[in-house]
Amino acid sequence: MKAAVLHGPRAVRVESTATPEPSVGEVVVRVTVAGLCGTDYSIFAGERPVRYPRVMGHEFVGRVEAVGAGVTTPGIGDRVAIEPNYSCGVCPLCREGNRNLCLARTAIGIDVDGCFAELVRVPARCCWGVPEAVADDDVMVTEPLAVVVRAVARGAVRAGETAAVVGAGTLGLLAVQVLRARGARVLLVSRTARRLTLGRDLGAENVHAVPDGPLEAVARAVSGREGVDCVIETAGTAEAVSHALALVRPGGRVVLTGLPHDATSVRFFSVVRREITIVGSMIYQDEFAEAMRLVAAGHVRTRPLITHRFALGDIERAFAAHREPASIKVALIP
Ligand SMILES: [Zn+2]
Ligand SMILES: [Zn+2]
């Protein structure tokens, strides 16, 4: 089979590799469409170390091609979206349901080979059946959508509340839609004005480009009170954390999902004085089914996010496109 194999930073080659065989409890999936994200880019660029050679890619949809011993579902020919993280299942964290926090978690496309290939071997328990009426393109972003579903749940957003989303990338534009589905009024805040029109189309009632005036005033105008009830941070920068704290009202909640690796300077006095609840949100626990439901029910539109499409052989062009300002989600077709 063909696979895009990464041999070192920026050294990716499409090669013929051995056809994967499913072991006990595993299936082999023929990839129909895969999404490329910032994590893949940081692996490609050598910023995030992996063991080489490695096949990247963790956002994908496909059809089950072969099943290993002991697998009852999915069956051969089933269309599936993949939950690309699996935990050990036996540690205290896993047993108490915190499998996203498992210290022995395996990430497909990072710790083991992923979906920038024709075929991928995955545990059967990572497969989620795709409803017949839903197209592959629509569920290609189920993985980032599950991240957002959890973030919004961690923020305990209720109908009638006001919420702000910081960052208008894939996660931010999905967060706008999930918040809308929960009945919140949404303010989308981005460092660039470029995505704000799309943000409006996808349900943001208000939008704001960061350099245009103080965020506190915007949040007050939008909420009609001291700030918004909940902020979902998706931008992954130190700056975004301070933006989130500027937008939230006293007593409000801030959910951090963007994984800023850099040290972040925060005036914690304002957190104490205003009793802000700051929570982290790490990938997903049981949010895949809800992510699929939101897409199938039409509450979340994913196609406007797919801005580029490349064949697997053009993977280097796909990575270049990912860095273009106009790109939101780049798709690879093996
Ligand atoms: Zn991703
Ligand atoms: Zn575990």
Side-chain angles (χ1 to χ4, degrees), residues 87-94 102-104:
S87 55
C88 79
V90 295
C91 72
L93 284 164
C94 281
C102 173
L103 301 180

Side-chain angles (χ1 to χ4, degrees), residues 144-159 161-165 171-186 229-234 253-257 279-284 287 290 294 300:
L145 180 55
V147 169
V148 165
V149 168
R150 177 161 186 82
V152 171
R154 296 273 294 157
V157 177
R158 295 179 295 272
E161 285 195 315
T162 50
V165 174
L171 291 177
L173 293 168
L174 291 172
V176 165
Q177 302 181 73
V178 174
L179 286 162
R180 271 293 299 260
R182 299 289 178 256
R185 287 196 294 125
V186 185
D229 299 302
C230 182
V231 183
I232 310 289
E233 178 281 319
T234 68
R253 296 95 64 195
V254 170
V255 182
L256 305 177
T257 62
V279 294
S281 190
M282 177 59 188
I283 58 168
Y284 28 76
E287 285 79 9
E290 174 63 3
L294 287 168
V300 172

Side-chain angles (χ1 to χ4, degrees), residues 1-126:
M1 68 142 178
K2 266 192 309 175
V5 183
L6 187 71
H7 292 277
R10 293 182 192 271
V12 68
R13 290 196 295 271
V14 177
E15 300 170 356
S16 273
T17 61
T19 300
E21 298 286 340
S23 300
V24 178
E26 292 181 334
V27 302
V28 168
V29 174
R30 181 167 290 277
V31 181
T32 49
V33 62
L36 196 151
C37 86
T39 304
D40 301 309
Y41 189 87
S42 63
I43 296 169
F44 169 71
E47 291 152 17
R48 180 167 179 159
V50 293
R51 288 180 72 186
Y52 304 111
R54 174 64 68 232
V55 177
M56 298 167 281
H58 56 272
E59 303 177 3
F60 64 114
V61 188
R63 256 184 213 285
V64 176
E65 176 115 339
V67 301
V71 175
T72 48
T73 103
I76 289 175
D78 286 357
R79 213 152 54 95
V80 290
I82 308 300
E83 179 172 348
N85 282 277
Y86 50 95
S87 55
C88 79
V90 295
C91 72
L93 284 164
C94 281
R95 273 195 249 137
E96 69 199 16
N98 287 315
R99 58 197 181 95
N100 56 328
L101 308 180
C102 173
L103 301 180
R105 185 168 54 84
T106 302
I108 294 171
I110 300 172
D111 305 314
V112 295
D113 283 344
C115 65
F116 295 165
E118 289 176 317
L119 298 167
V120 198
R121 193 165 61 100
V122 298
R125 65 186 153 117
C126 295

Side-chain angles (χ1 to χ4, degrees), residues 238-271:
E239 191 190 28
V241 180
S242 23
H243 292 160
L245 288 171
L247 291 159
V248 73
R249 67 167 167 82
R253 296 95 64 195
V254 170
V255 182
L256 305 177
T257 62
L259 304 177
H261 285 253
D262 309 326
T264 306
S265 80
V266 172
R267 291 181 58 235
F268 276 107
F269 176 73
S270 99
V271 174

